Amino acid sequence: MKVMKYVFMTLATLLIASPVFAQTGADASSKGLFYIAAGIGMALAAGLCGLAQGKATASAAEAVARNPGARPAIFTFLILGLAFIESLALFTFVIIFLKVA
């Protein structure tokens, strides 16, 4: 019951605030929201890539602890995986940079 109260309060807030987004404003205000959205998007991409890198590193450390003989193969795939994960954040940065500039 308590969850439903929060759901309805959130819906009411969104429905009351929706006419604000329907208004047309000056270019400066719409660009300001665009910059904020770009910053939030980059923050999400960087944060989630950081979480993925932490998970990959923890898994690699656990794998080396279980089988130290497989260290070279695990290290190779770890570096490859970290490069792919980091490229996602860089692709997000490039896309945001191209759209904002």
Side-chain angles (χ1 to χ4, degrees), residues 17-97:
S18 64
V20 172
F21 297 112
Q23 298 174 1
T24 57
D27 277 338
S29 67
S30 63
K31 276 291 193 186
L33 291 177
F34 186 72
Y35 293 144
I36 291 172
I40 291 172
M42 189 62 214
L44 281 172
L48 293 176
C49 284
L51 288 174
Q53 286 178 345
K55 175 87 169 131
T57 305
S59 297
E62 183 179 334
V64 169
R66 289 179 183 214
N67 188 3
R71 184 190 174 281
I74 293 170
F75 183 73
T76 303
F77 285 117
L78 172 67
I79 295 300
L80 185 65
L82 290 176
F84 284 144
I85 292 169
E86 189 64 32
S87 70
L88 293 175
L90 293 174
F91 288 148
T92 305
F93 177 71
V94 168
I95 290 170
I96 289 173
F97 185 74

